[in-house]
Amino acid sequence: MASSEADRRSSSPEEMDPPTTSSTVSADAGLLHTPNSPVRIRFPEAEKFSIYSKEEQKMLEGSSTAEPDDNSNIKMQQRLGLWNGVGIIVGIIVGSGIFVSPTGVLRYSGSVAMSLIVWAVSGILSLVGALCYAELGTMISQSGGDYAYINYAFGSLPAFLYLWVALVIIMPTGNTVIALTFANYILQPFFAGCSPPDTAVRLLAAVVICFLTWVNCTNVDWATKVQDIFTVAKIVALIIIIAAGIYWLATGHTENYKHPFEGTLWEAGAIATAFYQGLFSFAGWNYLNFVVEELKNPYRNLPLAIIISLPMVTLVYFLVNVAYFAVLTPSEILSSNAVAVSFGDRMLGYMAWLMPFFVACSTFGSLNGGIFASSRLFFVGAREGHLPQALGLINVHSYTPMPALLFLGAMTVFMLITVEVEALINYISFTESLFILVSITALLYMRYKYPDMERPIKVWLGFPIIFFVICVFLVATPVVTRPVELGVALAVMLTGVPVYFCCIYWKKKPACLRNFAYKLTFLCQVLCQAMPEFKQE
């Protein structure tokens, strides 16, 4: 199942086009597909089942006489417009953090003014990184984000290690934390004065994970409408906070801004950690790259979505913190478990219930966006031969990667059993920074190695160099501040090496393993009414 990207990279730059995802179905049937030329799977047993229509069955057998059209292509459909892309980026970046605990920057910057500077600069630097990813996403027009870029530039093993960490920890654990936050805020009004029971929180989290997995399996349009609606809801909530803060300042309550730099921590280590916190508050700006194959006119809409989203989020984050500092003192912000709720209690009166409601809306939208985007990573990994082929199947009715979505949903629900989910996120944040660094390195490497490669978007060379330095900083900081978490993250990543050599590099596997993979793929085809991606011409 190993990827054959080495053959692709052996071509000269002039002969090399950006990777595409659609392929022509070969005339002969096969049991497994190769990464660069996917073919359908034809099983004799399929004739015993009636889950497909006659036309779909003909397509399975390769004997369809219908004229080729969009309905004869089993592939991810380009259904996402510009504003859907904006909704994905904004919806994932703006999670519960800005409502609940925007305290990390303040704690390490020490003052109101320095905190606001860190928020503004962090947003600008995130925009620089996102523009670099716009070049990568249009140059390598393949879903999967960092995985696709690392695989194309550096080969199979580094790409698999990223996929492994994402599979084991990053994606399911991140979604689990968001689901638990949602459940806590939904249940809180029913348990005034105390915390909701842990069992109830986890059960509700499991329900919302299953519901959003079903939505994403059923219809891409439904998933994007959910994302758009809840993105608007969270922006409305933030505008309410901003408006209340402006009103408070306009009525003369400027005492918290009389000494804006008072208490500033000027030590290099403290300022570096403040920027570390600020940059991670913008995490999610690269998620649209995970679904670039489903984006209409990606050469236009990918960079436009980034250019609209990042400045908007930066401005909103800055103004929300201005409002927080106007109403609450720094000590009140640092001591609050939910800053937006404390803000609402002071400013909104009997409408204070809006803040917990909007926090729940924000986390609901972020969870939906996370499920939508991260499932495509596993789909592309399976298509490239780095995961079981069963995860690379597409439902023939909804054109969604249903097996990958179900697998991600199951992994996310499974993570609910641990009581240290937040600790796992802390352990793995280093690895996320590391692979973003590898992706930016890939951009610089391909600028040098393939200077004539087609680049629909080419950013100023200073941008990737600046962001490369930022990524080195993000990777190096935990070496000093969190060495134990760094060690755990490296250990999790390195466990993928033996898995790679056993499952990917090793070609002559026993017949029992091949038969198991065969039956698993067939079972997923039947249960999910799914086929491998192909384009009939």
Side-chain angles (χ1 to χ4, degrees):
M1 293 195 299
S3 173
S4 58
E5 74 291 327
D7 295 335
R8 179 179 62 223
R9 298 200 313 273
S10 65
S11 302
S12 64
E14 291 77 7
E15 299 170 344
M16 191 183 315
D17 293 326
T20 57
T21 57
S22 59
S23 301
T24 304
V25 181
S26 64
D28 57 338
L31 298 182
L32 295 175
H33 73 283
T34 59
N36 287 332
S37 56
V39 299
R40 66 191 182 280
I41 303 177
R42 188 175 76 178
F43 296 103
E45 293 90 341
E47 296 176 358
K48 301 177 183 178
F49 296 86
S50 58
I51 63 170
Y52 300 109
S53 66
K54 290 182 179 180
E55 182 179 356
E56 292 165 346
Q57 187 64 40
K58 288 180 179 179
M59 290 171 63
L60 271 172
E61 296 300 326
S63 58
S64 175
T65 58
E67 289 296 322
D69 56 24
D70 290 341
N71 294 326
S72 64
N73 296 330
I74 304 298
K75 64 175 184 177
M76 306 300 288
Q77 304 295 302
Q78 290 184 321
R79 295 179 177 176
L80 304 179
L82 172 61
W83 294 108
N84 297 131
V86 171
I88 289 173
I89 296 175
V90 174
I92 292 177
I93 293 177
V94 183
S96 62
I98 191 64
F99 294 99
V100 179
S101 56
T103 57
V105 172
L106 175 60
R107 179 176 293 111
Y108 293 103
S109 61
S111 69
V112 171
M114 182 58 72
S115 179
L116 293 175
I117 290 171
V118 169
W119 280 108
V121 174
S122 296
I124 293 170
L125 292 175
S126 297
L127 174 60
V128 170
L131 290 174
C132 294
Y133 270 63
E135 176 175 331
L136 284 167
T138 52
M139 179 173 62
I140 303 174
S141 54
Q142 182 178 9
S143 292
D146 300 272
Y147 166 78
Y149 313 143
I150 296 169
N151 191 29
Y152 191 85
F154 301 125
S156 187
L157 178 57
F160 177 80
L161 291 179
Y162 171 76
L163 190 65
W164 173 253
V165 174
L167 175 75
V168 173
I169 297 292
I170 296 176
M171 300 305 183
T173 304
N175 290 342
T176 298
V177 171
I178 297 172
L180 288 172
T181 305
F182 167 83
N184 263 305
Y185 275 87
I186 285 292
L187 293 175
Q188 189 62 58
F190 300 100
F191 296 90
C194 63
S195 299
D198 186 66
T199 301
V201 170
R202 293 179 186 276
L203 285 175
L204 181 56
V207 169
V208 73
I209 291 167
C210 293
F211 172 72
L212 287 176
T213 299
W214 172 77
V215 169
N216 278 270
C217 286
T218 304
N219 194 301
V220 172
D221 292 334
W222 292 2
T224 55
K225 282 183 173 62
V226 167
Q227 190 66 22
D228 294 344
I229 291 170
F230 283 90
T231 296
V232 170
K234 67 181 70 179
I235 294 299
V236 168
L238 294 174
I239 289 174
I240 291 174
I241 293 173
I242 293 169
I246 291 174
Y247 167 79
W248 190 253
L249 287 172
T251 54
H253 297 87
T254 60
E255 55 273 11
N256 291 343
Y257 285 99
K258 287 183 178 179
H259 306 286
F261 284 97
E262 184 178 356
T264 299
L265 301 175
W266 294 106
E267 296 84 357
I271 294 175
T273 306
F275 275 104
Y276 189 84
Q277 297 286 330
L279 288 166
F280 269 107
S281 297
F282 287 87
W285 48 261
N286 59 335
Y287 267 57
L288 189 59
N289 291 65
F290 283 73
V291 297
V292 70
E293 291 175 23
E294 298 171 72
L295 192 63
K296 298 175 183 175
N297 193 4
Y299 299 151
R300 170 186 178 271
N301 289 337
L302 178 62
L304 270 181
I306 289 169
I307 291 170
I308 293 171
S309 301
L310 267 297
M312 179 170 63
V313 172
T314 301
L315 179 63
V316 168
Y317 272 18
F318 182 85
L319 293 178
V320 165
N321 278 277
V322 168
Y324 285 156
F325 288 128
V327 175
L328 304 171
T329 65
S331 59
E332 288 175 324
I333 292 175
L334 291 173
S335 62
S336 175
N337 291 325
V339 176
V341 174
S342 300
F343 181 95
D345 290 341
R346 183 166 299 181
M347 292 298 297
L348 301 182
Y350 67 90
M351 297 296 290
W353 60 269
L354 280 174
M355 283 300 108
F357 171 75
F358 278 126
V359 172
C361 289
S362 181
T363 52
F364 189 87
S366 294
L367 179 59
N368 179 72
I371 291 173
F372 181 85
S374 54
S375 63
R376 272 58 177 177
L377 172 62
F378 301 145
F379 167 77
V380 173
R383 188 176 66 189
E384 292 295 316
H386 284 160
L387 290 176
Q389 189 188 18
L391 299 181
L393 302 175
I394 299 175
N395 181 272
V396 297
H397 303 296
S398 61
Y399 298 101
T400 58
M402 187 177 291
L405 282 161
L406 294 175
F407 173 77
L408 175 63
M411 286 287 292
T412 305
V413 171
F414 175 77
M415 286 291 181
L416 291 171
I417 67 174
T418 180
V419 296
E420 296 293 340
V421 175
E422 290 84 356
L424 293 176
I425 283 289
N426 291 332
Y427 289 148
I428 217 65
S429 60
F430 159 80
T431 314
E432 291 185 278
S433 302
L434 175 62
F435 283 108
I436 291 176
L437 171 62
V438 176
S439 295
I440 295 298
T441 305
L443 174 58
L444 293 170
Y445 169 76
M446 286 188 285
R447 282 281 189 99
Y448 167 75
K449 185 69 174 179
Y450 308 125
D452 298 324
M453 188 174 181
E454 183 181 357
R455 292 174 173 85
I457 297 171
K458 188 175 182 178
V459 299
W460 174 52
L461 182 60
F463 282 174
I465 293 175
I466 291 170
F467 202 70
F468 176 85
V469 174
I470 297 300
C471 291
V472 170
F473 159 71
L474 290 176
V475 171
T477 298
V479 176
V480 178
T481 61
R482 297 182 297 173
V484 175
E485 295 174 2
L486 169 63
V488 173
L490 286 174
V492 171
M493 182 178 65
L494 292 177
T495 58
V497 175
V499 175
Y500 172 82
F501 282 101
C502 290
C503 299
I504 310 300
Y505 188 79
W506 182 28
K507 301 294 194 302
K508 298 181 180 179
K509 299 180 179 65
C512 60
L513 292 180
R514 296 198 302 271
N515 289 336
F516 174 77
Y518 172 97
K519 292 177 181 179
L520 176 64
T521 304
F522 175 65
L523 179 64
C524 287
Q525 281 194 287
V526 172
L527 295 179
C528 297
Q529 302 187 32
M531 296 173 61
E533 183 180 58
F534 73 91
K535 182 177 180 180
Q536 181 169 315
E537 296 181 346

